Amino acid sequence: MKKTPISVAYGDGIGPEIMTATLRIIEAAGAQLEIEEIEIGEKVYLRGIDTGMSSGAFDSLRRTKVFLKAPITTPQGKGYKSLNVTTRKALNLYANVRPTVSYAPFIHTKHPKMDVVIVRENEEDLYAGIEHRQTDEVYQCLKLISRPGSERVIRYAFEYAKAYGRKKVTCFIKDNIMKLTDGLFHQVFDEVAKEYPEIESNSMIVDIGGAVLADTPEVFDVLVMPNLYGDMLSDVAAQISGSVGLAGSANIGDPYAMFEAIHGSAPTIAGQNVANPSGLLLGAIMMLVHIGQADVASRVHNAWLRTLEEGVHTNDVFEEGISKKRVGTKEFADEVIARLGKEPEHLAPVHYHHVPTVAHYELPATKPADKQLVGVDVFIHWKNGKPDDLGETLSQVVVDALRLQVITNRGIKVWPSGLDETFCTDHWRCRFQASEGQSLSPLQVVELLQKAVQAGFDVIKTENLYTFDGVPGFSAVHG
Ligand code: NAD
């Protein structure tokens, strides 16, 4: 079989030990790999490269397009960018796939029937990293959700379900509150779900969905959700399945893909030959399926299941009464290698077939909407009195039909007719709108800002209010 080039980073902390163990196992199983070693992580950061990734590393990734990565340590202190976030964005790895399975009764868990795959959107949401301090008291972080970003990851979740014979895809969102952003994700989910009538689909609000996941994970099959919820809930899912040390993850893009464990570099146990290599090994198994070496993936996975089943456990999952033999990282790899060719006798064996995990989706071009400017939210830093004082003075700032309609503080209406009880910060959103049905020119907004500044107001930012084909592209005011 022709060798497949891959880029490999040994990482920091326990990284080198678990990578060595993982590569020994998969090569013993017959993986045909041409490994290009790349240097990323702590040493690179400390050389002054703020991304943690040398330019040579990117050259290698461009060549191989497949990245097997051990965990890395991000040095403490400001100025170091998260290598994971950089890699996901630079390589456009839009879907993070995290299968979490319980291995009862061989690994202790309260959820013996758990077999859930979380597909997390990987590039957008609050992770765009666009944050600002705007006043003495208020900081903001922008939550960005796009139609193409949502569509790609949701479509990927359905394609994954189809390829792996899964029955149901569930979407977690919080669109009772974030009606536009999470509302878009939900809407795209409903649209895409219609194209897969053979797969059951439903959606849940993330708070109750998360609670059900932690309580009865067996009711879920494939889950898809925006970045932040997916980040949190995939760790919860891994932990309740038995251990975070047992979960691997694939970061999928087009044409790149990155495979890793979900845990970090565990510096306190580094260099002691005690770390569990299973998370990275499961990441490597996903990589083998991705590069078309599904038979090798099955051999490794089945030998690994057999090892767990026979009670050969690393320290993190070792439990008196369940486990039979406590082993170190290196010995665990030896035990898995010794079982290559065997299948588990109690746990279900795994038989992979080649699945094109890099899905190339031609997203349909969306027709530009008829976009009309109908108002502007002017944000003001102000601490000089009561909301009525602000409302009264700011009402004097008028441009043609563009007038102050409402003021909110942290989203709650405080003028006109606010409640005395509402706590106010120094950050005010002042909504100016033209009369209904009337659209504005951007120059009218500029003129309004000029007048507001001339009247002594500290304008910190604005958000234009648009309608798209007549539908408001902004949330209504609460209160
Ligand atoms: P961690 O996942 O490294 O460790 C959490 C706990 O789990 C520790 O008690 C650790 O000993 C244990 N643990 C983790 N993996 C294990 C394994 N394979 N076998 C046995 N025990 C294991 O999380 P942390 O302590 O919050 O972070 C440590 C460092 O890792 C930080 O610098 C962080 O930025 C980095 N990190 C990197 C990645 C990544 O590269 N993908 C992910 C998360 C954290």
Side-chain angles (χ1 to χ4, degrees):
M1 193 198 279
K2 199 167 155 275
K3 291 193 172 200
T4 306
I6 63 166
S7 304
V8 167
Y10 280 76
D12 303 314
I14 58 170
E17 300 159 64
I18 60 173
M19 182 59 85
T20 303
T22 296
L23 291 176
R24 273 181 56 224
I25 296 169
I26 63 175
E27 289 189 322
Q32 297 299 308
L33 304 171
E34 192 184 303
I35 291 172
E36 292 190 10
E37 195 182 320
I38 60 176
E39 207 194 8
I40 61 165
E42 203 173 15
K43 279 192 232 90
V44 182
Y45 280 119
L46 298 177
R47 283 209 300 268
I49 301 173
D50 68 355
T51 55
M53 204 146 180
S54 58
S55 55
F58 273 111
D59 293 341
S60 169
L61 290 171
R62 268 190 209 105
R63 271 192 303 275
T64 66
K65 303 186 175 43
V66 181
F67 187 13
L68 181 63
K69 174 182 157 291
I72 58 118
T73 303
T74 311
Q76 296 288 318
K78 290 195 174 168
Y80 297 111
K81 293 186 188 143
S82 159
L83 187 139
N84 286 329
V85 175
T86 307
T87 319
R88 285 171 196 157
K89 290 191 183 172
L91 303 182
N92 203 210
L93 306 175
Y94 60 81
N96 184 208
V97 185
R98 291 183 168 191
T100 40
V101 181
S102 54
Y103 305 98
F106 307 103
I107 303 285
H108 176 73
T109 171
K110 295 185 187 113
H111 305 286
K113 294 201 183 112
M114 180 170 185
D115 182 2
V116 177
V117 179
I118 296 187
V119 179
R120 159 190 171 195
E121 195 288 315
N122 220 9
E123 297 177 287
E124 306 193 335
D125 197 353
L126 291 157
Y127 290 65
I130 306 175
E131 292 191 291
H132 299 96
R133 178 176 180 176
Q134 298 190 316
T135 66
D136 289 325
E137 295 174 349
V138 175
Y139 297 67
Q140 77 163 20
C141 176
L142 278 187
K143 170 163 168 137
L144 296 175
I145 303 269
S146 76
R147 176 171 270 278
S150 305
E151 182 166 347
R152 274 194 311 192
V153 71
I154 291 166
R155 206 169 269 289
Y156 183 82
F158 278 96
E159 286 291 328
Y160 180 97
K162 208 163 99 175
Y164 285 89
R166 301 246 168 194
K167 305 276 180 284
K168 186 166 83 172
V169 181
T170 303
C171 171
F172 279 2
I173 21 64
K174 185 82 186 166
D175 60 345
N176 54 333
I177 302 296
M178 284 159 281
K179 294 183 166 57
L180 269 76
T181 47
D182 281 25
L184 172 66
F185 197 86
H186 192 173
Q187 185 188 334
V188 174
F189 177 80
D190 288 346
E191 288 168 16
V192 173
K194 284 202 190 91
E195 296 176 32
Y196 298 85
E198 70 283 16
I199 296 169
E200 198 188 323
S201 62
N202 67 339
S203 32
M204 290 177 85
I205 299 295
V206 62
D207 39 25
I208 188 63
V212 176
L213 177 68
D215 184 56
T216 31
E218 58 276 13
V219 303
F220 296 112
D221 195 346
V222 176
L223 286 163
V224 63
M225 60 193 88
N227 206 339
L228 179 65
Y229 314 143
D231 192 2
M232 295 171 174
L233 292 180
S234 57
D235 270 26
V236 171
Q239 183 70 24
I240 64 170
S241 75
S243 163
V244 277
L246 288 179
S249 121
N251 293 270
I252 301 295
D254 175 14
Y256 296 98
M258 174 171 89
F259 302 86
E260 59 184 342
I262 73 158
H263 59 74
S265 58
T268 55
I269 57 165
Q272 298 166 29
N273 191 40
V274 294
N276 188 348
S278 299
L280 186 59
L281 184 66
L282 290 175
I285 290 170
M286 294 164 91
M287 176 192 77
L288 290 169
V289 177
H290 168 75
I291 61 176
Q293 300 187 25
D295 289 350
V296 187
S298 306
R299 268 166 73 75
V300 175
H301 203 147
N302 287 326
W304 177 77
L305 288 170
R306 181 72 176 250
T307 310
L308 286 192
E309 201 179 77
E310 291 186 10
V312 180
H313 294 163
T314 44
N315 199 36
D316 55 316
V317 290
F318 189 92
E319 195 143 320
E320 275 324 325
I322 299 179
S323 309
K324 303 243 162 54
K325 187 172 175 189
R326 192 191 302 261
V327 288
T329 315
K330 189 179 161 303
E331 295 70 31
F332 184 79
D334 294 338
E335 297 273 357
V336 177
I337 291 168
R339 288 169 180 79
L340 286 169
K342 291 189 178 163
E343 292 205 339
E345 290 180 329
H346 306 280
L347 296 166
V350 178
H351 298 287
Y352 291 108
H353 55 276
H354 178 57
V355 173
T357 31
V358 173
H360 181 72
Y361 306 128
E362 285 295 345
L363 298 180
T366 38
K367 191 172 104 331
D370 173 27
K371 181 175 150 195
Q372 299 290 338
L373 182 63
V374 296
V376 59
D377 278 347
V378 179
F379 290 76
I380 284 175
H381 180 179
W382 188 81
K383 192 77 184 174
N384 299 340
K386 298 235 172 255
D388 284 349
D389 304 330
L390 177 62
E392 221 161 274
T393 30
L394 197 58
S395 303
Q396 315 297 319
V397 177
V398 172
V399 171
D400 307 324
L402 191 54
R403 272 154 218 282
L404 182 65
Q405 303 288 335
V406 62
I407 300 176
T408 68
N409 196 292
R410 295 189 301 171
I412 294 295
K413 187 178 94 167
V414 292
W415 181 92
S417 325
L419 296 175
D420 287 344
E421 290 82 358
T422 306
F423 173 77
C424 291
T425 67
D426 58 359
H427 184 270
W428 308 81
R429 188 261 305 258
C430 310
R431 177 162 286 182
F432 289 80
Q433 277 179 284
S435 332
E436 187 136 3
Q438 203 182 334
S439 60
L440 304 164
S441 96
L443 286 176
Q444 286 172 294
V445 171
V446 173
E447 196 184 334
L448 181 85
L449 295 182
Q450 199 167 15
K451 285 193 174 173
V453 172
Q454 279 163 353
F457 288 103
D458 182 3
V459 175
I460 49 179
K461 76 158 190 167
T462 61
E463 293 286 352
N464 286 350
L465 307 179
Y466 295 107
T467 57
F468 292 81
D469 294 331
V471 178
F474 46 93
S475 52
V477 165
H478 294 285

